[in-house]
Amino acid sequence: MQSDQGKSALLRRLRHLALAADSWLDSVLFSAQVRAGELWRDFSGFMENFSVRGVSRLAVEVACEGLTLSVFGGMVLVFLAQPAFKMTANDDWLKKTNLAVVFRDRDDVEVGRRGALHEDSVPIEQYPDHVIQALLATEDRRFFDHLGIDPIGLARALTVNARGSGSVQGGSTLTQQLAKNLFLSNERTVTRKINEAFLAFWLESRLTKREILELYLDRAYMGGGVFGIQAAARFYFGHSIKDVTLAEAAMLAGLFKAPTKYAPHANLPAARGRANDVLSNLVAAGFMTENQVAEARRNPASAVEQRGANATPDWYLDWAFGEIKSLADSGKLGSDRVLNVKLALDSGVQKLAQDTIEKNLRESGPTYNAHQAAAVILEPDGAVRGLVGGRDYGASQFNRAVDARRQPGSSFKPYVYLTALMSGKFTPQTTVVDAPICLGNWCPKNYGGSYSGSMPMWNALAHSLNTVAVRLSVAVGDGDAKKGRKKIIDTARRLGVSAPLPDTQSLPLGADDVSVMDQATAYAAFANGGKRIKPYAALEIANSRGDVIYRHDRDGEQPQQAIEQRYIEMLDFMMTQVVEQGTGGRAKLEGVKVAGKTGTTNEYKDAWFCGFTGNFVGAVWYGNDDDESMAKMTGGTLPAMTWHDVMQYAHSGVDLKPLPGMTLIAAQGPQAPVGDASAGARRPERLTRKATETIGAIEVLMKSSSGRRAMLDLGENRPRGGGVIELR
């Protein structure tokens, strides 16, 4: 009984505690509600003091919306600028960009330089005042007043441009231009401009104005393949920047806008006209009076004579410099920042490729409404012999061969056909059907709109039939087109295509963007028996002491087998028929087995020819930067003709190699000339490598024999029996 009473007392106590807790909670919540109401009334009363009506209210609303949009826009910009933050994450960013590289081609001839050799640079304090004044008056008058971005200068440039109905002034500051030179490429995208702006602010916070100006003057491209104003002064005028006259300084300052267009060794009248504008800028900016510039106007500068300056392989060197920087940043080249690099570059092939593209665009570009082109020529192991990134490096340093991505059209189809061969369901002789096909609402058609019915698969590739490529994509997916396209993308990846390649219904027809370098890389696997390669420029790298610190054959990435050679041999046979019987006829070389594929995109926006022999691989693209349609240019016209002219030169005087699974054309010997000299450029006559080695061996034997005979004549070391040395 006593136990029951104890339990009852405990229960009463617990109920009392629960009631107390509930009361306390109710009280706290009620008090909080009352207090919140009081605070809201106080806040509302306070805000009533700021209430506006009428026009003022409209202005406040607009300002609030503007503030909201500004905050949102700022968040977007910060998100987009994340790559810029990553570029500056390491404290040694300046050291990484501070490389001085001398480039030599495969024949050991110096072809250009990149970076700044600071031992040879001139301190900015030793520059004549008129050099700095001419630069600032023309490029960035408010350089010492802004923080990297100049809204006032930008507004002035927009106003002047609007009045002049053209691009008369640029809005980028020197700091922005330096940011681009140090960290960014020349691609024309909004993202790059955002990164450029953030990097300009960052540079202003880390460097003094003097340091920014000195870095810019050391690294700016000045035409003629030279970088930096000191190198430009020596190149154009034959003396140091310390000794340039006002007229010469004006001419140098005029180069920053368009280095090739205003280069005095290439176009002296244009350079003098631009220099005269710079002198006017000096007066307008208040740096000089008209009387002070009058002598420079009356006696404009002249450049010293240059030889071969127009043939500088600038796009190639830019790409090669990027490769060297990557190797240096990885630690493979040690701590030395002054390097001498022997390239895989073939200067003859490079010059001919540049000249051929310029000639074709000059003569046929207007007819086809084509304004740009790009090309990559490499060996089957990845050694890049030539690279052309556009028509005019001075007008645009953007590398269309590496950084631009365009639709490849039917030049993508070999990846589809290779996937089909690898499935085990098809051979080159398998019968396929060219007939209408629809995937959902998408119904692709052939070029010309007709259909040819049944035919062997090699013939479908030779005539670039769209419906067959789509049917193959369905077949390799066992009836599932999406699964088939996934296998095609995997094949392209294995061959070395690095572009994103999103899965779209039109992917088998080449609707996804790729670069010229991507196509050349993948086609190299067709030429070497199925090995994936990594394109490279550097054969050998030496440091400032002359020690070889890198050899590609020893330290570089080597080709790896990606596709079984038997499938490559079947595909190569099919692709030879493209040239011999199909759309690529203009690429045919006399005495050399050529395989390749043309490509033409919708509305003629892009035209390609990608081809290869046992010796070389080449990818050629023609089009327009603004994606404007051309006038019915196909891959079998200018692209195939360009490929032919360059490859005809490249193959002359070399030991010909067969394609995988094939033999050399029987009527031609391994050293037979390629093509007719009257039909195009020919490489200068010289012995092949094998012939040179043979003659060298004979020469060594003859010298050895001569020395032995001399000793015999003197009675020294006479062989027993009076033997005579014979050459066999």
Side-chain angles (χ1 to χ4, degrees):
M1 178 147 179
Q2 189 174 10
S3 173
D4 292 340
Q5 291 176 348
K7 289 181 179 178
S8 297
L10 178 62
L11 290 173
R12 285 195 300 274
R13 190 175 296 113
L14 291 174
R15 283 198 296 271
H16 291 159
L17 288 173
L19 288 172
D22 182 65
S23 298
W24 177 83
L25 181 61
D26 287 344
S27 176
V28 169
L29 292 175
F30 178 78
S31 298
Q33 181 180 353
V34 171
R35 181 57 181 161
E38 292 174 350
L39 289 173
W40 175 252
R41 286 192 296 273
D42 292 343
F43 176 75
S44 298
F46 176 77
M47 294 302 294
E48 282 293 326
N49 297 326
F50 299 96
S51 64
V52 291
R53 295 177 177 81
V55 178
S56 299
R57 183 178 180 83
L58 178 62
V60 170
E61 292 292 339
V62 171
C64 290
E65 292 298 327
L67 179 61
T68 302
L69 292 174
S70 298
V71 171
F72 177 75
M75 294 173 63
V76 172
L77 289 177
V78 170
F79 173 76
L80 293 176
Q82 290 303 307
F85 297 147
K86 293 178 181 178
M87 293 175 198
T88 59
N90 297 322
D91 291 334
D92 61 344
W93 61 272
L94 184 57
K95 181 179 178 182
K96 287 185 176 182
T97 63
N98 187 22
L99 274 175
V101 182
V102 176
F103 289 108
R104 297 173 291 122
D105 66 10
R106 64 189 308 109
D107 294 322
D108 277 329
V109 177
E110 183 177 329
V111 291
R113 301 181 178 219
R114 288 295 184 268
L117 185 60
H118 290 284
E119 289 79 359
D120 294 338
S121 64
V122 176
I124 199 168
E125 293 85 358
Q126 298 182 22
Y127 285 31
D129 290 341
H130 49 252
V131 171
I132 304 300
Q133 291 169 344
L135 170 67
L136 298 182
T138 305
E139 296 294 320
D140 192 355
R141 295 182 190 178
R142 288 175 40 80
F143 174 71
F144 289 101
D145 298 321
H146 62 67
L147 297 176
I149 304 294
D150 183 14
I152 297 176
L154 179 60
R156 183 181 66 247
L158 292 174
T159 302
V160 173
N161 293 348
R163 290 175 180 172
S165 300
S167 182
V168 179
Q169 288 190 6
S172 296
T173 65
L174 291 182
T175 313
Q176 288 175 269
Q177 295 177 49
L178 176 63
K180 184 187 73 171
N181 292 341
L182 290 178
F183 298 103
L184 305 171
S185 69
N186 290 293
E187 63 178 338
R188 300 172 178 177
T189 63
V190 174
T191 302
R192 195 215 80 187
K193 294 299 291 185
I194 293 172
N195 288 335
E196 182 182 288
F198 274 89
L199 289 168
F201 284 126
W202 186 84
L203 286 173
E204 291 277 354
S205 69
R206 298 295 298 269
L207 303 174
T208 65
K209 289 288 186 180
R210 173 193 172 281
E211 291 172 330
I212 291 172
L213 192 58
E214 192 164 37
L215 282 171
Y216 177 76
L217 290 170
D218 271 349
R219 285 166 168 76
Y221 180 65
M222 303 293 288
V226 298
F227 285 75
I229 199 167
Q230 163 69 356
R234 292 196 177 280
F235 181 78
Y236 292 120
F237 307 124
H239 50 245
S240 170
I241 189 65
K242 296 184 292 185
D243 304 317
V244 298
T245 64
L246 175 59
E248 292 170 341
M251 193 169 283
L252 290 173
L255 291 172
F256 292 99
K257 179 180 180 181
T260 299
K261 180 178 179 181
Y262 298 119
H265 74 292
N267 192 339
L268 186 59
R272 286 178 170 175
R274 176 63 176 162
N276 195 57
D277 292 339
V278 173
L279 295 173
S280 297
N281 290 337
L282 281 167
V283 176
F287 292 134
M288 290 186 177
T289 66
E290 186 60 43
N291 287 337
Q292 289 175 303
V293 302
E295 178 63 24
R297 290 190 195 274
R298 287 193 299 268
N299 297 290
S302 295
V304 297
E305 182 181 357
Q306 303 292 339
R307 295 182 179 178
N310 291 324
T312 52
D314 290 309
W315 280 294
Y316 189 112
L317 297 185
D318 286 350
W319 176 72
F321 189 53
E323 177 184 314
I324 302 306
K325 286 199 292 186
S326 296
L327 289 172
D329 294 345
S330 69
K332 293 182 179 180
L333 305 182
S335 59
D336 203 329
R337 311 302 289 179
V338 179
L339 304 171
N340 195 302
V341 179
K342 183 177 182 179
L343 299 169
L345 171 69
D346 185 326
S347 292
V349 170
Q350 175 71 29
K351 184 178 186 305
L352 184 69
Q354 293 178 192
D355 292 347
T356 301
I357 284 175
E358 170 57 28
K359 173 179 176 290
N360 287 340
L361 287 174
R362 184 178 65 252
E363 295 179 355
S364 303
T367 302
Y368 284 110
N369 188 35
H371 301 95
Q372 283 294 347
V376 173
I377 301 95
L378 47 74
E379 297 177 35
D381 74 339
V384 177
R385 290 272 187 139
L387 186 155
V388 182
R391 182 176 187 177
D392 185 347
Y393 183 85
S396 169
Q397 290 87 56
F398 179 59
N399 194 331
R400 294 158 188 81
V402 177
D403 299 323
R405 287 177 178 159
R406 307 292 297 236
Q407 290 186 356
S410 295
S411 67
F412 189 86
K413 288 177 182 174
Y415 313 145
V416 179
Y417 281 77
L418 178 59
T419 306
L421 294 172
M422 292 165 59
S423 72
K425 303 175 183 178
F426 298 90
T427 70
Q429 302 298 335
T430 300
T431 299
V432 294
V433 178
D434 175 28
I437 181 174
C438 291
L439 299 180
N441 295 326
W442 181 62
C443 302
K445 293 181 172 56
N446 293 323
Y447 182 80
S450 61
Y451 302 95
S452 303
S454 299
M455 65 184 68
M457 191 166 76
W458 66 262
N459 198 21
L461 179 62
H463 292 90
S464 199
L465 300 177
N466 289 337
T467 63
V468 174
V470 175
R471 288 177 181 276
L472 289 175
S473 72
V474 176
V476 297
D478 298 321
D480 186 334
K482 188 174 182 65
K483 187 183 297 184
R485 293 193 299 269
K486 186 176 183 300
K487 291 182 178 180
I488 294 168
I489 292 172
D490 178 66
T491 298
R493 289 273 178 265
R494 291 168 66 181
L495 293 169
V497 176
S498 61
L501 298 180
D503 183 5
T504 60
Q505 286 183 323
S506 54
L507 176 136
L509 306 185
D512 288 356
D513 294 345
V514 298
S515 70
V516 179
M517 185 64 81
D518 273 337
Q519 292 293 83
T521 299
Y523 275 59
F526 302 156
N528 66 27
K531 296 177 181 178
R532 173 175 173 163
I533 59 96
K534 180 179 180 181
Y536 65 93
L539 296 176
E540 186 176 284
I541 302 175
N543 59 22
S544 58
R545 298 183 299 276
D547 302 327
V548 175
I549 54 178
Y550 176 91
R551 288 175 56 95
H552 183 270
D553 57 0
R554 180 190 67 199
D555 309 307
E557 184 175 330
Q558 303 302 313
Q560 300 294 324
Q561 196 73 40
I563 308 291
E564 287 187 49
Q565 182 163 329
R566 60 192 177 106
Y567 299 125
I568 295 296
E569 291 176 359
M570 287 189 281
L571 180 69
D572 285 0
F573 160 73
M574 296 168 66
M575 295 180 72
T576 61
Q577 303 311 300
V578 175
V579 177
E580 294 175 10
Q581 302 186 46
T583 58
R586 288 187 175 93
K588 192 180 300 183
L589 297 174
E590 182 183 348
V592 181
K593 202 74 169 175
V594 175
K597 187 69 189 76
T598 56
T600 309
T601 63
N602 287 341
E603 301 178 3
Y604 300 97
K605 292 183 177 180
D606 304 279
W608 297 72
F609 184 81
C610 304
F612 55 95
T613 68
N615 293 77
F616 301 111
V617 182
V620 179
W621 165 86
Y622 277 79
N624 293 310
D625 284 341
D626 59 3
D627 217 26
E628 182 181 359
S629 296
M630 295 181 289
K632 296 187 177 181
M633 181 192 291
T634 65
T637 57
L638 285 190
M641 293 161 62
T642 300
W643 191 95
H644 167 274
D645 291 347
V646 175
M647 288 300 183
Q648 175 177 280
Y649 177 92
H651 284 80
S652 61
V654 302
D655 298 322
L656 299 183
K657 300 176 183 177
L659 289 171
M662 303 183 193
T663 59
L664 292 171
I665 296 176
Q668 300 291 333
Q671 299 177 26
V674 179
D676 183 359
S678 62
R682 290 283 308 279
R683 190 186 294 274
E685 294 295 336
R686 62 181 182 182
L687 294 173
T688 64
R689 177 177 56 82
K690 185 180 295 185
T692 302
E693 292 174 352
T694 302
I695 291 176
I698 293 174
E699 182 180 5
V700 170
L701 288 173
M702 291 180 68
K703 288 181 177 179
S704 175
S705 173
S706 176
R708 182 68 59 87
R709 287 182 182 279
M711 288 187 290
L712 290 174
D713 291 340
L714 293 173
E716 297 175 3
N717 302 325
R718 182 183 299 275
R720 293 178 182 175
V724 178
I725 299 175
E726 296 183 358
L727 296 178
R728 298 184 183 273

